[in-house]
């Protein structure tokens, strides 16, 4: 098992129960998920799941193969070795007072984050970036008192025109695993 | 053509060539049962408990290679299928379970007899469906049969709300399926096959470990060709038994926890393991670290996820066993490994694992050996789980392809009788013997009524030792003989059989064994024999859990009545 965090992309049919199948698989095989993000893909009727798995605790190749066995999973790719862009979004509600507000706003600026809401005693900040950037901001803000934190988990894709997942009909779908 | 959902379901089954359904009616599934008489092609066999329906469908599927079908109503009916579906799942058996669900507007309301059976069966099915529209029935059925029977087979469950059965829609059965996410790899990768051929051609001490994949793929001839051409000894897993004739000079029987000592030693000494359609289950490998320490491993399996799951292998080949072996055999050169085979033969003489000790007592092993004798090795053997299963695996010699049916993966006691019923329905011309323990038999004994009502002529041998024998054996060996909850009283099986309406005999002595078996065979219908056997007999050889495959406890050395079968290896 490798020490790196693996980013696994799965194109799945957009049907009731798919998330349950994926979650059930991870639970029963003891795979540890760092994060799982899911939303519509560019193809109507299909969703894309981005799953981050810790290679130190989980056999990533098994994750890929077991996911691939699910009928409603069209294609699974581990893009960790590829040149990828990866982003995460977080909403952070921080305690603020007139004396701390400007300092929080300065930190927000440095991180190119934005302020979504200002209340008399709190601020809601939105930040986008890779996991490290989001975590750094969270750590900096912790000193002011974080009231609520929501993170989306990583979404990612390979740079350049050739995506890891070709559209239906264009590719070999699951045959890639046929070794 | 317009039909209601129930008719569409039946018509789909007819289109798929289904001839028999094992089931149990109930409230939600009534609309389906109501139309069944319109489809006389579908023989319905009423079981006495839904678990029996799932096991019977499984037994039918394993015996015939076709999908086995079971019906159950919503809620408890569906829940009762679970053990049977899980058994089929672990052993890759194509069972299709049709369950009724409460009407759509009741779903999620905790209605009477509502249960989320698709949620429950996610981890134990290859795929499952909750149908919500009658117009989807034909497509889903087509998909279900395709998924269940192709690739690595497995159970599929289809849950259908009661009101979907009564909805009407146009029916057209699709000619083909279109599943973007399901495309099993059936041809092996040419480069990997080439690598495998090179390893086989270079090997000095090769050994084949063949599993149920050979049977599923019906690759009997291909396996034989490989073994004979490259002169490789063939060892099987429990579920691989009967994929290669055990009277063949290259057969060295089963490996594993209760495998033959010589098979285990051969695997340990081999310099090349050719693993075919098997998954390195812990009961087969014993302690996996240090398994086959001198060997490179070629692993052929249709399921890519099995490659590297339990064991790192040198050459993985994903594909259908029959296809892969056909390609592989073309690249194999004729070889002889006389010294290696003589070495294993030597181990076979030093460790006669199938020997039976001499005694006046009635030993369960003796019973199995005599069933083999009387049936001339031509029977289909369906076992329970535990000692009876291991003795059946060790002491019946399987020369006929696909003649052992047993719950290997899940290890389901109670599988034996309903699975034997299913097998007999699938293979009416074969002699089907159900080998049961007195424990497992009592778990699904109610299916005797099924065998009687539908005149299913299974022959039942109960190895009655008054204990949950395998558990007792573990208590004897690992818990200082503290027999907690393993002494087991049973009914008078003869009276019980009579109450159900089938003839039965009790056998207490060796002299009665053959006449009783003969009588059972001569009888037209189902027949039961209660063999009252030595109560504290143990299954040997045995590899203690956690030990290496070579750390074998063998039967205490006593005078042997039956040795291992002699063979002649001079004609190799």
């Amino acid at each position: 098992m490798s020490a790196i965090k693996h980013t696994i992309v799965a194109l799945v049919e957009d049907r009731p129960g798919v998330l349950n199948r994926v979650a059930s698989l991870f639970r029963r095989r003891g795979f540890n998920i760092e994060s799982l993000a899911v939303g519509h893909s560019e193809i109507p009727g299909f969703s894309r799941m981005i799953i981050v798995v810790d290679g130190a605790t989980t056999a990533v190749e098994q994750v890929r193969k077991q996911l691939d066995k699910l009928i409603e999973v069209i294609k699974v790719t581990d893009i960790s070795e590829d040149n990828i862009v990866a982003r995460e979004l977080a909403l952070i509600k921080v305690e603020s007072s007139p004396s701390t507000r400007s300092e929080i706003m300065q930190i927000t600026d440095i991180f190119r984050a934005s302020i979504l809401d200002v209340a008399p005693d709190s601020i809601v900040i939105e930040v986008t970036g890779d996991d490290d950037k989001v975590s750094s901001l969270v750590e900096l803000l912790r000193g002011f008192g974080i009231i609520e934190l929501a993170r989306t988990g990583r979404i990612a894709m390979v740079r350049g025109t050739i995506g890891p997942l070709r559209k239906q009909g264009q590719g070999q779908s699951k045959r890639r695993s046929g070794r | 053509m317009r039909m209601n959902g129930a008719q569409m379901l039946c018509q789909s089954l007819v289109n798929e060539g289904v001839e028999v359904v094992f089931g149990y009616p109930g409230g939600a599934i009534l609309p389906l049962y109501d139309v069944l008489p319109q489809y006389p092609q579908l023989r319905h066999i009423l079981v006495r408990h839904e678990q029996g329906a799932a096991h019977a469908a499984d037994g039918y599927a394993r015996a015939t290679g076709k999908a086995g079908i079971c019906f159950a109503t919503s809620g408890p009916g569906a829940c009762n299928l679970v053990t049977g579906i899980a058994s089929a799942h672990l052993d890759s058996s194509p069972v299709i379970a049709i369950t009724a669900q409460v009407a759509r507007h009741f779903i999620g309301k905790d209605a009477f007899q509502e249960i989320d059976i698709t949620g429950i069966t996610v981890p134990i099915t290859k795929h499952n469906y909750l149908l919500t529209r009658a117009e989807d029935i034909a497509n889903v059925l087509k998909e279900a049969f395709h998924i269940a029977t192709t690739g690595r087979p497995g159970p599929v469950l289809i849950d259908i709300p009661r009101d979907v059965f009564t909805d009407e829609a146009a029916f057209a059965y699709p000619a083909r399926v279109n599943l973007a996410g399901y495309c099993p790899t059936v041809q092996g990768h040419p480069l990997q096959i080439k690598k495998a051929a090179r390893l086989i051609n270079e090997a000095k001490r090769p050994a084949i470990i063949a599993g149920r994949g050979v049977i599923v793929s019906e690759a009997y001839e291909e396996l034989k060709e490989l073994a004979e051409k490259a002169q490789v000894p063939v060892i099987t897993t429990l579920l691989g038994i009967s994929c290669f004739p055990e009277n063949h000079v290259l057969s060295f029987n089963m490996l594993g926890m209760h495998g033959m000592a010589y098979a285990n030693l051969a695997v340990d000494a081999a310099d090349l393991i050719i693993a075919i359609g098997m998954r390195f289950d812990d009961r087969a490998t014993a302690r996996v670290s240090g398994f086959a320490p001198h060997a490179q491993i070629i692993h052929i399996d249709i399921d890519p996820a099995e490659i590297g799951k339990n064991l790192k292998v040198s050459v993985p080949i994903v594909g259908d066993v029959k296809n892969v072996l056909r390609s592989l055999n073309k690249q194999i050169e004729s070889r002889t490994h006389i010294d290696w085979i003589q070495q294993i033969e030597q181990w076979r003489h030093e460790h006669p694992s199938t020997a039976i000790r001499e005694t006046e007592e009635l030993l369960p092993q003796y019973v199995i050996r005599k069933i083999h004798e009387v049936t001339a090795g031509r029977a289909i053997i369906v076992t329970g789980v535990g000692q009876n299963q291991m003795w059946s695996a060790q002491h019946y010699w399987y020369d006929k392809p696909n003649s052992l049916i047993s719950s290997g993966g899940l290890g389901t006691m109670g599988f034996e009788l309903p699975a034997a019923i299913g097998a007999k329905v699938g293979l009416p011309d074969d002699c089907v013997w159900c080998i049961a323990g007195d424990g497992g038999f009592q778990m699904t004994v109610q299916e005797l009524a099924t065998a009687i009502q539908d005149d299913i002529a299974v022959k039942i041998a109960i190895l009655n030792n008054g204990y949950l024998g395998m558990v007792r054996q573990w208590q004897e060996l690992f818990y200082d003989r503290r027999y907690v909850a393993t002494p087991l009283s049973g009914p008078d099986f003869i009276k019980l059989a009579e109450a159900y309406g089938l003839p039965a005999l009790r056998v207490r002595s060796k002299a009665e064994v053959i006449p009783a078996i003969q009588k059972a065979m001569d009888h037209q219908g189902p027949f039961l024999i209660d063999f009252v056997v030595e109560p504290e007999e143990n299954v040997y050889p045995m590899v203690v859990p956690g030990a290496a495959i070579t750390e074998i406890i063998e039967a205490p050395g006593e005078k042997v009545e039956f040795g291992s079968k002699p063979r002649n290896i001079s004609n190799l």
Side-chain angles (χ1 to χ4, degrees):
Chain A
M1 296 182 194
S2 62
I4 64 161
K5 296 211 188 315
H6 285 255
T7 305
I8 291 170
V9 182
L11 186 70
V12 305
E13 288 189 56
D14 191 5
R15 286 209 196 142
V18 175
L19 187 59
N20 179 34
R21 287 183 206 280
V22 172
S24 167
L25 173 67
F26 276 75
R27 177 191 51 75
R28 91 188 155 93
R29 298 229 176 239
F31 299 153
N32 284 318
I33 317 180
E34 298 264 317
S35 72
L36 189 155
V38 56
H40 294 301
S41 74
E42 72 283 2
I43 313 164
F46 292 85
S47 293
R48 182 160 283 125
M49 286 185 186
I50 318 282
I51 304 158
V52 179
V53 178
D54 185 355
T57 57
T58 297
V60 178
E61 183 65 5
Q62 267 294 303
V63 173
R64 195 186 65 71
K65 286 173 167 178
Q66 295 291 351
L67 276 172
D68 214 14
K69 275 174 78 168
L70 298 178
I71 307 292
E72 287 156 336
V73 172
I74 308 302
K75 183 155 172 105
V76 188
T77 319
D78 183 350
I79 60 170
S80 316
E81 305 286 319
D82 294 316
N83 187 4
I84 61 171
V85 285
R87 287 292 178 271
E88 182 179 359
L89 184 143
L91 298 178
I92 313 161
K93 187 181 284 178
V94 191
E95 284 179 33
S96 73
S97 61
S99 62
T100 59
R101 191 171 295 144
S102 64
E103 196 184 341
I104 292 170
M105 290 171 73
Q106 268 182 7
I107 292 171
T108 307
D109 274 350
I110 294 167
F111 278 81
R112 299 191 189 181
S114 48
I115 290 170
L116 300 185
D117 181 61
V118 180
D121 50 6
S122 70
I123 295 177
V124 176
I125 298 164
E126 173 201 320
V127 61
T128 308
D130 60 24
D131 314 358
D132 286 348
K133 176 182 165 182
V134 174
S135 296
S136 305
L137 178 59
V138 169
E139 283 315 305
L140 275 175
L141 294 173
R142 212 175 277 285
F144 299 94
I146 293 177
I147 301 165
E148 194 176 340
L149 171 66
R151 296 175 72 151
T152 59
R154 184 191 297 177
I155 57 168
M157 58 176 63
V158 177
R159 291 176 193 270
T161 45
I162 299 170
L165 304 175
R166 283 183 259 177
K167 284 182 190 175
Q168 245 193 311
Q170 280 184 327
Q172 291 258 310
S173 74
K174 288 194 163 178
R175 293 233 175 91
R176 191 173 176 239
S177 58
R179 214 170 30 140
Chain B
M1 189 177 158
R2 283 185 78 79
M3 300 178 174
N4 73 20
Q7 292 168 316
M8 286 194 266
L9 180 82
C10 292
Q11 188 58 52
S12 300
L13 295 178
V14 169
N15 286 9
E16 288 290 340
V18 172
E19 291 167 349
V20 60
V21 171
F22 303 91
Y24 203 103
I29 204 166
L30 265 173
L32 175 59
Y33 274 84
D34 192 48
V35 303
L36 263 184
Q38 298 168 23
Y39 299 87
Q41 310 96 311
L42 300 175
R43 175 184 178 197
H44 181 273
I45 293 174
L46 176 71
V47 294
R48 296 301 182 272
H49 184 289
E50 289 88 349
Q51 182 186 351
H55 288 323
D58 187 358
Y60 177 91
R62 295 191 206 206
T64 62
K66 296 191 285 186
I69 317 297
C70 56
F71 284 178
T73 194
S74 68
C79 282
N80 283 342
L81 293 176
V82 165
T83 306
I85 293 172
S87 307
H89 185 62
L90 267 289
D91 292 347
S92 312
S93 176
V95 167
I96 295 179
I98 312 286
T99 53
Q101 184 52 275
V102 297
R104 281 167 289 188
H105 63 277
F106 278 127
I107 292 178
K109 306 292 197 305
D110 302 322
F112 177 66
Q113 293 193 331
E114 182 194 357
I115 199 71
D116 173 19
I117 195 64
T118 45
I120 288 173
T121 56
V122 161
I124 56 164
T125 50
K126 188 169 172 184
H127 195 50
N128 65 21
Y129 297 88
L130 170 60
L131 266 172
T132 52
R133 304 184 320 159
E135 51 266 48
D136 294 337
I137 287 177
N139 272 325
V140 163
L141 264 287
K142 183 77 189 173
E143 283 182 19
F145 276 85
H146 180 66
I147 291 168
T149 56
T150 59
R152 179 180 182 173
V156 175
L157 179 137
I158 305 167
D159 196 27
I160 307 177
R162 182 191 172 124
D163 55 333
V164 172
F165 282 124
T166 51
D167 265 10
E168 290 197 354
F171 177 82
Y173 202 66
R176 44 198 296 256
V177 286
N178 180 23
L179 283 164
Y182 179 72
C183 182
T185 306
V186 291
Q187 297 293 348
H189 194 288
L191 197 68
Q192 298 298 111
I193 290 174
K194 205 171 153 186
K195 277 193 211 166
R198 206 188 62 219
L199 287 182
I200 294 168
N201 290 336
E202 287 170 0
K204 299 277 178 276
R205 299 185 308 279
I208 290 169
I209 306 178
R212 196 172 118 75
V214 177
I215 293 171
V216 171
S217 178
E218 297 181 342
Y220 309 110
E221 285 308 312
E222 290 77 6
L223 174 62
K224 207 166 154 193
E225 189 189 334
L226 169 65
E228 287 176 353
K229 198 169 167 191
Q231 203 172 79
V232 187
V234 178
I235 291 158
T236 72
T237 65
L238 172 67
L239 293 189
I241 287 177
S242 76
C243 77
F244 188 77
E246 290 198 300
N247 61 2
H248 195 287
V249 67
L250 288 169
S251 168
F252 289 93
N253 313 108
M254 173 177 80
L255 87 165
M257 178 178 272
H258 293 294
M260 307 305 145
Y262 44 87
N264 288 3
L265 292 172
V267 166
D268 190 65
D271 69 349
L272 178 69
I273 298 288
I274 310 160
I276 309 174
M278 57 83 75
R279 60 183 176 88
F280 296 103
D281 173 75
D282 55 270
R283 286 298 192 263
T285 62
R287 188 174 67 221
V288 76
S289 65
F291 178 78
H294 313 292
Q296 303 224 57
I297 297 175
I298 299 166
H299 190 186
I300 304 167
D301 201 286
I302 199 160
D303 181 354
E306 288 302 341
I307 309 280
K309 187 183 79 179
N310 294 342
L311 198 68
K312 273 205 166 35
V313 298
S314 318
V315 182
I317 306 175
V318 174
D320 179 72
V321 166
K322 197 182 189 93
N323 289 329
V324 171
L325 290 188
R326 274 186 182 165
S327 312
L328 188 61
N329 286 347
K330 286 183 195 145
Q331 301 180 41
I332 301 293
E333 293 157 14
S334 274
R335 285 283 185 276
T336 53
H337 299 291
I338 303 281
D339 290 350
W340 166 233
I341 287 156
Q342 264 166 357
Q343 169 68 73
I344 307 174
E345 192 62 26
Q346 177 69 26
W347 285 328
R348 209 165 68 83
H349 287 293
E350 290 165 11
H351 305 273
S353 301
T354 53
I356 301 175
R357 70 187 160 89
E358 187 180 310
T359 169
E360 279 312 302
E361 291 152 350
L362 181 57
L363 295 182
Q365 300 95 313
Y366 179 92
V367 172
I368 305 285
R369 196 62 79 85
K370 291 300 160 190
I371 291 175
H372 176 259
E373 222 174 277
V374 178
T375 60
R378 303 307 295 167
I380 307 291
I381 302 293
V382 186
T383 79
V385 168
Q387 290 185 319
N388 69 81
Q389 179 183 36
M390 290 301 121
W391 286 320
S392 297
Q394 295 173 337
H395 296 282
Y396 197 93
W397 295 71
Y398 299 85
D399 299 334
K400 178 175 158 158
N402 195 19
S403 52
L404 173 66
I405 294 175
S406 190
S407 172
L410 194 66
T412 308
M413 288 170 68
F415 173 84
E416 54 275 55
L417 179 57
I421 287 172
K424 179 67 183 172
V425 169
L427 301 173
D429 298 331
D430 282 84
C431 175
V432 175
W433 272 90
C434 163
I435 314 271
D438 49 322
F441 187 68
Q442 291 186 65
M443 286 190 171
T444 48
V445 63
Q446 73 282 348
E447 302 307 334
L448 284 176
T450 307
I452 290 295
Q453 182 172 351
D454 282 78
D455 195 21
I456 301 160
V458 288
K459 312 299 174 185
I460 301 156
I462 303 175
L463 304 178
N464 184 354
N465 57 10
Y467 281 110
L468 301 173
M470 187 60 92
V471 183
R472 185 209 54 76
Q473 178 172 340
W474 282 48
Q475 288 171 333
E476 177 186 332
L477 297 175
F478 312 128
Y479 293 88
D480 202 19
R481 296 181 70 96
R482 291 187 296 277
Y483 292 167
V484 180
T486 45
L488 174 79
S489 73
D492 179 330
F493 288 112
I494 306 303
K495 285 186 181 162
L496 185 75
E498 279 166 9
Y500 275 107
L502 76 160
L505 281 175
R506 178 169 292 122
V507 170
R508 293 181 185 277
S509 72
K510 287 162 80 172
E512 300 167 280
V513 172
I514 287 184
I517 297 168
Q518 198 59 59
K519 194 160 181 199
M521 305 270 290
D522 293 342
H523 181 73
Q524 287 290 311
F527 197 98
L528 184 147
I529 308 173
D530 179 21
F531 291 100
V532 181
V533 297
E534 165 64 22
E536 293 194 42
E537 187 66 12
N538 285 341
V539 177
Y540 293 112
M542 179 177 194
V543 176
V544 172
I549 198 166
T550 49
E551 298 170 44
I552 304 158
I553 307 175
E554 295 186 74
E558 285 172 64
K559 207 171 162 201
V560 162
E561 177 168 6
F562 290 97
S564 301
K565 266 196 177 176
R567 326 166 184 217
N568 185 3
I569 65 162
S570 59
N571 59 352
L572 267 173

